Amino acid sequence: MQESDRTIIMSTHHLDEAEVLSDRIAFLERGGLKCCGSPFYLKDKLGQGYKLTLTKKVQRPEGEHIDTADLKAFIQAHLPEARLKETQRGDVVYSLPPFTSSNASSYRSLLTALDANLDDLQLGGYGVSDTTLEEIFLQLTNGSPGGEDKLLSISETVSDTASIDSFPSGTCDSNFGIGDKI
């Protein structure tokens, strides 16, 4: 028997573990299939883009906010779609648009400019992170760990305008039907 002739089904609440160990991931809620696909496919179709976390050099006293106007102008000069997501203590988090071939040079420009201007911007460092599978799961379940009373169908979850017949293949395994109990 070849490796491709085998299937292992693993159930876990540790989505980082599932991402590393799995070729395909299925999200279930209250016994119903929400969607499934490769981790890359799920992030591509349901992800929110990237988060840019900037850490100031000097931690400010509690209650004193970071002046983000210059920082915002700097970031949006490279990626105008960037939006301030949150500010807490010495960190400022921006939501960046999904990475595409059309904005690759803007990403490169931003990261190069950040490296060259860390001191001028009073930054100790920065990091870029992708949407996590946990964030995607919470988005699919409307952020409620116990789920809502009304389960969304796959077409409602991923695209309000898509019919189930026009839904891209690979999103849901053909062995599972919408609403099947597993």
Side-chain angles (χ1 to χ4, degrees):
M1 207 185 277
Q2 296 178 0
E3 271 188 44
S4 61
D5 295 337
R6 297 182 187 181
T7 299
I8 297 174
I9 297 175
M10 175 180 76
S11 175
T12 182
H13 288 113
H14 302 281
L15 297 178
D16 53 339
E17 174 184 71
E19 182 173 2
V20 171
L21 297 174
S22 305
D23 295 327
R24 301 193 71 197
I25 295 174
F27 287 120
L28 305 174
E29 180 184 21
R30 295 176 28 175
L33 177 66
K34 296 297 281 187
C35 68
C36 61
S38 70
F40 176 78
Y41 182 84
L42 294 171
K43 287 181 175 188
D44 183 50
K45 294 297 177 194
L46 301 169
Q48 304 287 311
Y50 291 91
K51 283 187 277 187
L52 173 65
T53 303
L54 306 159
T55 303
K56 293 299 251 181
K57 270 188 180 178
V58 179
Q59 297 291 328
R60 302 201 176 229
E62 197 65 39
E64 188 178 332
H65 296 286
I66 298 169
D67 178 21
T68 58
D70 289 341
L71 202 49
K72 181 179 179 179
F74 181 87
I75 291 168
Q76 288 184 337
H78 300 277
L79 279 169
E81 304 89 357
R83 298 290 173 253
L84 179 63
K85 186 172 182 176
E86 62 183 299
T87 303
Q88 49 180 287
R89 299 190 113 186
D91 290 341
V92 179
V93 181
Y94 281 86
S95 179
L96 303 179
F99 183 85
T100 64
S101 58
S102 63
N103 68 10
S105 62
S106 297
Y107 265 86
R108 189 176 313 109
S109 165
L110 172 62
L111 298 177
T112 302
L114 279 171
D115 286 339
N117 292 288
L118 284 175
D119 288 335
D120 294 341
L121 295 168
Q122 294 297 307
L123 295 175
Y126 68 90
V128 178
S129 60
D130 195 2
T131 302
T132 66
L133 288 177
E134 178 134 358
E135 290 168 326
I136 290 172
F137 175 77
L138 291 173
Q139 174 190 332
L140 286 170
T141 59
N142 298 319
S144 60
E148 297 288 318
D149 287 339
K150 175 186 179 273
L151 290 177
L152 298 174
S153 72
I154 290 178
S155 60
E156 289 172 319
T157 301
V158 177
S159 171
D160 291 334
T161 60
S163 74
I164 211 63
D165 295 333
S166 66
F167 203 71
S169 62
T171 303
C172 187
D173 190 318
S174 59
N175 294 325
F176 297 117
I178 307 306
D180 282 353
K181 301 295 181 189
I182 298 178

